[in-house]
Amino acid sequence: MALRKGSTLRRWSGRCVSALQNGFTLIEIMIVVAIMGILSAAAIYIYNDYVVRARISEALAASTVAQVAVVENATSNSGDFGRGYPPPNATVNLDGITIDSATGIVTVELSAAAGGGNLVIIPYTGMEAAPVALVAGNMPDGVIKWRCRAAGSSFALGSAGTALAKHVPGDCR
């Protein structure tokens, strides 16, 4: 099929060919590369922050065994909240978990990969506004509740941990 010299289709096809020959200028390519660099730098920072948060969550999950041991010892009135608790082996995210035998406070030691420092998990009974500490050898009154504390957190019982608040779950802040 031959196109006549003055046909609309022939004029249109000529424009497309010339448009395809044009490309991006160097400045346009440099702007796109700069924008991609800025976005990737922000993404790496955010990604590293989430990796530390995930590592801390894994260490907190390992502390549930210690919390169960404290509850069992408190309800059996054993006098030692840490009795029968096998401490876990150190992992990439966790240096160790200890139980205070007199108060039942669980301390989670975080490794450097998980941001370092520690989290303190405090058992108590009563309301959060007026908590009652557990005492070894005394049967607790009511349900045992837990409060996790990181650096800068406030609670009437115990001391705060040293892990950065920006990395820990919301209930530890």
Side-chain angles (χ1 to χ4, degrees):
M1 175 168 141
L3 296 176
R4 289 190 304 155
K5 193 172 185 181
S7 73
T8 306
L9 186 57
R10 185 173 181 133
R11 281 186 304 216
W12 183 255
S13 67
R15 286 183 189 154
C16 290
V17 170
S18 65
L20 289 176
Q21 291 173 351
N22 291 336
F24 294 109
T25 63
L26 180 61
I27 193 72
E28 290 171 335
I29 292 173
M30 289 175 62
I31 289 170
V32 168
V33 169
I35 291 171
M36 293 299 291
I38 291 168
L39 291 175
S40 63
I44 289 171
Y45 174 76
I46 293 169
Y47 171 77
N48 288 336
D49 199 38
Y50 279 112
V51 167
V52 171
R53 287 181 183 198
R55 291 177 185 267
I56 289 176
S57 294
E58 181 184 331
L60 278 175
S63 73
T64 57
V65 176
Q67 293 175 6
V68 169
V70 169
V71 170
E72 287 178 353
N73 288 326
T75 55
S76 67
N77 205 9
S78 71
D80 179 8
F81 289 121
R83 192 180 103 223
Y85 171 66
N89 295 328
T91 65
V92 173
N93 305 320
L94 179 69
D95 283 342
I97 298 175
T98 58
I99 299 174
D100 186 320
S101 61
T103 62
I105 293 176
V106 177
T107 304
V108 179
E109 297 291 335
L110 302 171
S111 68
N118 63 24
L119 292 172
V120 177
I121 306 170
I122 303 166
Y124 68 97
T125 59
M127 303 298 289
E128 190 167 335
V132 177
L134 296 183
V135 178
N138 293 342
M139 191 71 118
D141 291 334
V143 177
I144 297 175
K145 300 172 189 165
W146 295 91
R147 173 69 180 187
C148 178
R149 295 192 64 193
S153 66
S154 61
F155 189 63
L157 299 176
S159 61
T162 58
L164 295 177
K166 72 176 188 173
H167 292 143
V168 300
D171 59 342
C172 293
R173 294 181 187 151

